[in-house]
Amino acid sequence: MPDQSVQPSPAPYDALLLLSFGGPEGPEDVVPFLENVTRGRGIPRERLKEVGRHYFLFGGVSPINAQNRELLQALRKDFAEHGLELPVYWGNRNWAPYLTDTLREMVTDGHRRILVLATSAYASYSGCRQYRENLADALATLEGEGLPLPRVDKLRHYFNHPGFVQPMVDATLAALAELPEGLRAGAHLAFTTHSIPTAAADTSGPVEDHGEGGAYVAQHLDVARLIAGAVREQTGADHPWRLVYQSRSGAPHIPWLEPDICDHLEELHGEGAPAAVMIPIGFVSDHMEVKYDLDTEATAKAAELGLPVARASTVGADPRFASAVRDLVLERATTERFVEGRAAVTPERCALGSLGASHDLCPAGCCPARSGRPAAAGAD
C-alpha cells in the first residue's frame, strides 16, 4: 500500500476518468440506448423494443447511471480526505455523459495525462478491449477536431484487490444472514458473472493465459475461492459453491459459458440443497442485469422451485472500493515515475489469491480484437 505519511502524488497523471457502460434514464431513452449498444448489427427497432422490455419493467430507467454518480462522489470524497489532488470525471460508452464529450471536456480543462477506471474488473473483450477501442474512437474524434491529444492509460484489473474482494465477503455474510437460521449452514453459494461466448472466454487475457476459459474464468474462480474461504473462516461452515453465469444475449447456435443461474438453481433443488445465495462477483454495481436477471428472473425461478434464496450486493460505492481505486492510482503513478526515472523503487502491488496483480499495459494478443479496430492504452 502507498506510504500515507507523505503527501500522495498522482504525478504524472492529472485526471481520472470513470468509464462505464451507461444506461437509459427514462422510457424514451430505451430504444436509442439499445441502438447505441447494438450499432452496426442491423437490429430492427421493433426487435429493440422487445429486447428493452427489462428496462420498461423498471420505468425505462437503468440503475447504473445513479450508481456511477454515487461512485463518482465516493471517489472524490476519498481523494479529498487523503490529500490526493486528482480531479475525477465520468463518461459512458453508450449513453450520456458520453465518453467523447467527457474526454473533450477534460482536454479543454487542460488535462494531458489521464488514468481510466473502467467499471469492469476482469479480463475479456467486452470488459476491457472494447473499452479500449471506444477510447481510441474518442481520441480519433478529438484529433479530427484539432484538439490536443492526451495520453490515456487504463488502471489494471482489480478483481483480486482487497478493496474489491472484502466488500463482497461482507455482502455474502449479510445475504446468508437473510436466510432462515436453520438453512444457513447448508446453503450453497452461487457466484455469478456475465456469460460470454466460450470463444471469447478462451482467448481472454494475455496469450499465455489463453485456453479453456482463459483469464476470464480463471480470475472469477480465484475470487470465488477467496470469498468462499473467507466465509468458511468467519462462520465455520464449509458452503458448497460454483461459478455460474447469467445475462446471455447471443444467438442460440453460438456456445456461451454455462451453466445459467436458473438452470443451476434447478440443479440445486433437484439435489436437495436447502437454500442458495447468489453472489454477483462479475459486476461492480447493482445495475439492470443484476436487478432483472437475479432479483427478478432467478428469484422467481427459485420461488417456483420452493428454494429459499438471498442475493448478495455488489461493491458499488463502498468506501473500501473507493480506497482501492486510490491505491491503484498511486501504484500506477509511482510505476510511471519509476519508468521515467523519477522514482527510486516500484510500488508494492496489492492483490489477494493465487493469480497476483494484473498487468498495467494490455500486451499484444490480449483479448484479441474482433474486427481489427484500434485500441488505446495497450500494446496493440
Side-chain angles (χ1 to χ4, degrees), residues 260-278:
D260 178 78
I261 177 62
C262 290
D263 294 337
H264 180 60
L265 293 177
E266 286 194 8
E267 181 181 349
L268 290 181
H269 175 66
E271 293 173 351
V277 172
M278 300 180 291

Side-chain angles (χ1 to χ4, degrees), residues 40-369:
R41 302 182 199 173
I43 301 177
R45 279 182 70 89
E46 290 305 311
R47 172 59 180 155
L48 293 179
K49 290 179 182 178
E50 181 183 343
V51 171
R53 68 188 186 280
H54 299 171
Y55 293 99
F56 291 122
L57 288 174
F58 293 85
V61 179
S62 169
I64 193 169
N65 276 358
Q67 291 162 359
N68 279 323
R69 291 185 185 101
E70 292 178 7
L71 178 56
L72 187 69
Q73 293 306 311
L75 292 172
R76 288 171 174 168
K77 180 176 184 290
D78 179 90
F79 287 8
E81 289 177 348
H82 292 86
L84 181 61
E85 296 182 0
L86 190 71
V88 187
Y89 294 74
W90 166 41
N92 291 323
R93 289 170 48 194
N94 299 298
W95 201 247
Y98 287 103
L99 166 60
T100 301
D101 295 336
T102 301
L103 271 181
R104 184 184 297 111
E105 178 187 1
M106 297 175 82
V107 168
T108 302
D109 288 347
H111 300 298
R112 298 294 181 267
R113 291 288 299 268
I114 297 170
L115 269 175
V116 176
L117 167 68
T119 54
S120 177
Y122 301 85
S124 70
Y125 173 81
S126 56
C128 183
R129 171 85 194 194
Q130 195 167 17
Y131 280 89
R132 294 174 46 226
E133 291 176 353
N134 294 142
L135 283 166
D137 291 343
L139 290 169
T141 297
L142 299 188
E143 184 177 28
E145 295 172 357
L147 293 172
L149 291 187
R151 172 173 163 178
V152 177
D153 292 329
K154 181 176 173 290
L155 289 172
R156 66 176 170 90
H157 301 304
Y158 47 83
F159 63 93
N160 56 2
H161 194 287
F164 187 72
V165 174
Q166 289 167 353
M168 290 191 294
V169 171
D170 290 346
T172 303
L173 293 169
L176 279 167
E178 294 176 12
L179 295 172
E181 187 174 359
L183 303 180
R184 293 173 196 164
H188 288 235
L189 307 181
F191 295 99
T192 76
T193 190
H194 205 301
S195 183
I196 61 175
T198 56
D202 293 347
T203 56
S204 59
V207 172
E208 60 269 20
D209 292 336
H210 291 180
E212 187 175 357
Y216 186 74
V217 171
Q219 290 170 359
H220 281 86
L221 286 172
D222 211 37
V223 172
R225 291 188 196 99
L226 285 166
I227 297 172
V231 169
R232 181 173 60 250
E233 290 176 6
Q234 296 192 45
T235 66
D238 193 4
H239 296 273
W241 64 270
R242 187 171 183 182
L243 176 63
V244 300
Y245 303 92
Q246 61 175 88
S247 312
R248 173 182 173 141
S249 58
H253 68 281
I254 298 176
W256 282 52
L257 293 173
E258 296 177 336
D260 178 78
I261 177 62
C262 290
D263 294 337
H264 180 60
L265 293 177
E266 286 194 8
E267 181 181 349
L268 290 181
H269 175 66
E271 293 173 351
V277 172
M278 300 180 291
I279 309 152
I281 60 173
F283 304 90
V284 171
S285 65
D286 285 9
H287 55 64
M288 185 58 71
E289 288 172 317
V290 176
K291 289 291 187 184
Y292 181 80
D293 295 345
L294 294 185
D295 293 353
T296 304
E297 191 173 52
T299 299
K301 170 58 70 174
E304 173 191 318
L305 296 168
L307 178 69
V309 295
R311 199 265 290 174
S313 63
T314 52
V315 298
D318 189 292
R320 290 169 291 182
F321 181 48
S323 176
V325 174
R326 171 168 44 86
D327 182 25
L328 292 168
V329 165
L330 294 175
E331 171 199 293
R332 183 61 181 273
T334 304
T335 298
E336 290 300 310
R337 293 197 301 272
F338 178 80
V339 170
E340 296 170 3
R342 295 190 287 131
V345 294
T346 55
E348 177 185 350
R349 295 165 62 82
C350 197
L352 301 175
S354 63
L355 298 180
S358 186
H359 50 263
D360 284 331
L361 186 72
C362 291
C366 186
C367 304

